[in-house]
Amino acid sequence: MQAHPRTARRSIVVPAPSRPTLPAPLLLVLPVLLALPAGCAADGPTAPPTAAPSDPAPAVADTARDDLAALAAAARDRHLTARYTLSGTDGPTRDITVVSAADGSWRVDVPGGALGGTADVALAATPDGLFQCGLPSAGRPGPASCVRLGGRDDAVPRPLDPRVQHPFTDWLAVLTDRRSALSVSVATAPPGVPGSCYAVESTAASLTPPLDVGIYCYQPDGTPTFVRAALGTLTLAGPPGPAPDTVPLAGPVVTGEPLGQQAEQPSPSPETS
C-alpha cells in the first residue's frame, strides 16, 4: 500500500481585536469619571441646583402722588394776591379773592358766602386768630366788622363754612402728607388752564374725607390754577399779584354772632287783634 504523505498542519492566526483609540478630550475626562464613587455612575445626570426664590420686584413709585405733593408744598410757601372765578354752584359765577401773606396769614373774600348767598364774608387767619368778617352787601347793610372764631389753626365751624378757602389753606397740608388716604393720577388740563392737573380720590371709607375729591391744577411755582370739586369750580382769573407782609382784617373785631350759611328766616309778623 502506498503511504499517504503527512498532511501539513496549517496554523491559523486570529488577529487580536484592535483597541479603539479615544479622542484626546475623553482621555482627560475618563480618569476623573473612574475616580467617582460607584454609586454615582447609576444616578444619571445631576439636576441643576434650584435657584432661591428671587425677592419681589420693588413697587413702582407713585410718581403722580409725589409730583402733586411737591406742588402742594410749593403752594403752601407761595405768597400772592389772586382772583378766582367760582362757578358750578347754586348761585351765579362769583369772584373770589385770595391773599396769602408773607407772614403766613391768609384771607379769602367770598361774595355770597353767608345767609343763603345774600351776604358777603371774608375769612382770615392772622397771628391773633381765625376770623369771619361780614362785608357790606344786600343781606348785611352797614360797615364791615369781624368776629373771632377761634385760634389761628382752628377749623371754620361747619355751619359757617363756605368751603372755598380750603384749597388754599388746610387742604394743601393733606395733599402734601404722603400718609393721607388718597389716590392720585395725572389728569388732562381743561382748555386754557396752565400747569399740571391731577385727579384726586379718597381711598378711605369715611363720612368726613380730608378733602373734596376732584381735579387740582398747579403751576410749577405752586400757584393754584384750577380746582373742580364738590364746592364748585375755581379758576384763576388772571396773573397773581404780590403778597402783603400780613393780611389786614376787613373791619374791627366786635363781639357778636358770626353769619351762618343759611338764610335768615323772617320774623313772624305780630297777629292783629
Side-chain angles (χ1 to χ4, degrees):
M1 296 180 60
Q2 184 176 1
H4 295 284
R6 181 176 297 178
T7 304
R9 295 181 179 178
R10 295 179 182 179
S11 57
I12 301 174
V13 179
V14 179
S18 60
R19 182 175 299 176
T21 303
L22 297 178
L26 186 58
L27 291 174
L28 296 176
V29 176
L30 185 58
V32 179
L33 294 177
L34 294 175
L36 292 175
C40 295
D43 290 342
T46 304
T50 303
S54 59
D55 294 332
V60 178
D62 188 354
T63 304
R65 184 71 180 91
D66 290 340
D67 292 345
L68 178 57
L71 288 172
R76 296 181 72 181
D77 296 332
R78 182 80 166 95
H79 305 303
L80 50 73
T81 300
R83 185 170 58 89
Y84 293 81
T85 58
L86 174 63
S87 60
T89 58
D90 295 337
T93 298
R94 292 170 280 170
D95 287 340
I96 308 297
T97 302
V98 177
V99 180
S100 175
D103 66 349
S105 58
W106 58 264
R107 172 176 160 178
V108 178
D109 291 6
V110 188
L115 301 182
T118 63
D120 301 346
V121 293
L123 293 172
T126 73
D128 295 326
L130 177 68
F131 298 88
Q132 183 209 63
C133 300
L135 306 176
S137 52
R140 187 193 173 279
S145 61
C146 303
V147 176
R148 190 176 187 274
L149 302 179
R152 172 176 177 168
D153 296 326
D154 288 347
V156 177
R158 185 176 294 274
L160 312 176
D161 191 359
R163 306 188 69 243
V164 297
Q165 80 281 359
H166 291 296
F168 309 101
T169 57
D170 55 309
W171 287 357
L172 293 176
V174 178
L175 294 174
T176 303
D177 188 358
R178 290 300 309 271
R179 297 169 298 177
S180 300
L182 301 177
S183 173
V184 178
S185 59
V186 176
T188 302
V193 172
S196 301
C197 297
Y198 301 87
V200 179
E201 297 181 2
S202 176
T203 59
S206 173
L207 296 177
T208 55
L211 49 68
D212 280 358
V213 300
I215 305 296
Y216 294 79
C217 303
Y218 298 89
Q219 288 182 324
D221 63 358
T223 301
T225 58
F226 182 86
V227 175
R228 178 180 292 155
L231 59 87
T233 299
L234 287 162
T235 306
L236 183 65
D245 292 335
T246 189
V247 297
L249 293 178
V253 179
V254 299
T255 301
E257 292 297 323
L259 302 176
Q261 288 290 294
Q262 301 299 322
E264 292 182 340
Q265 300 297 324
S267 301
S269 58
E271 295 182 359
T272 57
S273 56

